[in-house]
Amino acid sequence: MSDELVALGNAGRAIRKAQDAGRTGLVGYLPAGYPTIDLAVDAVKAMIDGGVDVVELGLPYSDPVMDGVTIQRAAEAALSAGLRTRDVLATVEKLAAYSDVPVLVMTYWNPIERYGVDRFAADFAAAGGAGLITPDLIPDEGAEWIAAADKHELDKVFLVSPSSTDARIAMTTANCRGFVYATAVMGVTGTRDQASDLAAPLVARTKATTAIPVGVGLGVSDGDQAAEVATYADAVIVGSALVKALTAGGPAGVRELTESLAAGVRREPTAPAAR
């Protein structure tokens, strides 16, 4: 495998495949264990069937400081029902057996540290997982994870934000494999009426430092917003809207929204209505 393909990682290759087909990639988030372990598996399968290129599977945590109310409530419900890290690994294994869509786990660092970093990396790789998104772990404090991810050939997705300096963006992207997660708005996750005007400049600054894809997350809730973000991002990341669709309509609701989002990344944004 070429050095370029190694640097792209599992998720990056999936996003590049979408771009080779003339469109932006779509990354969909749902938490493991919500509303039950089995229904969560069905919901992610529905998301895959609806057209996501990469799955972002949440590992519920008791102190999700960067998540909005929608994801917090889903995580609390999963934990209250008894979800454990081993159940997340079992979910990854089922999804990896279902399709070749890469499965990344989005997790706060504490559960991985408690499990054992190298042990988790080994078990996660054995389950067919593609890598981790670590929102509260920065590369300069992540040497143990970086070493374990490299050992087990897992993606390392770190975050950049509008407040990141150019130097920090360059340091962060140098340590990423898979894609770079650009948080397009300041604050916690959640759907928004319109995309942040900070997103496009952040993507441009990030792309100036790296050849791997840059995905934009936080706030996209429908196909029109996905189409807008798709004009400048390599991948559109959707989370809270899919969790809301699952809560309201089950796996069928997830598939319906995913299909709309997948159509969105394939077209130009809708022009604003005349006032």
Side-chain angles (χ1 to χ4, degrees), residues 53-122:
D53 300 291
V54 177
V55 167
E56 180 184 349
L57 182 72
L59 194 159
Y61 178 52
S62 57
D63 189 23
V65 294
M66 296 177 68
D67 292 321
V69 173
T70 298
I71 293 176
Q72 282 188 23
R73 287 175 177 167
E76 289 168 1
L79 292 171
S80 295
L83 183 81
R84 297 292 180 264
T85 300
R86 63 179 177 271
D87 300 315
V88 179
L89 292 170
T91 297
V92 170
E93 189 169 19
K94 291 175 182 176
L95 295 172
Y98 182 71
S99 84
D100 60 0
V101 171
V103 179
L104 301 175
V105 161
M106 194 290 286
T107 179
Y108 293 92
W109 189 239
N110 185 264
I112 307 304
E113 199 165 49
R114 285 167 49 193
Y115 192 96
V117 178
D118 192 71
R119 177 187 168 214
F120 181 87

Side-chain angles (χ1 to χ4, degrees), residues 132-250:
L132 295 187
I133 300 170
T134 50
D136 64 342
L137 182 71
I138 55 177
D140 28 350
E141 296 177 0
E144 189 176 7
W145 162 239
I146 290 169
D150 290 347
K151 176 181 176 182
H152 296 283
E153 300 182 348
L154 297 170
D155 290 358
K156 306 164 292 185
V157 180
F158 294 107
L159 279 66
V160 296
S161 74
S163 64
S164 299
T165 64
D166 290 344
R168 174 148 291 276
I169 289 174
M171 185 275 292
T172 300
T173 61
N175 283 283
C176 286
R177 181 168 54 241
F179 65 91
V180 185
Y181 195 129
T183 57
V185 294
M186 303 296 285
V188 299
T189 61
T191 57
R192 286 167 171 82
D193 292 335
Q194 60 185 17
S196 167
D197 58 6
L198 300 175
L202 175 60
V203 169
R205 291 171 62 210
T206 304
K207 288 175 77 70
T209 71
T210 185
I212 69 172
V214 179
V216 169
L218 303 185
V220 172
S221 60
D222 58 36
D224 288 342
Q225 289 181 354
E228 179 185 351
V229 175
T231 61
Y232 55 82
D234 298 312
V236 178
I237 306 167
V238 183
S240 295
L242 286 162
V243 179
K244 288 181 178 179
L246 173 57
T247 301

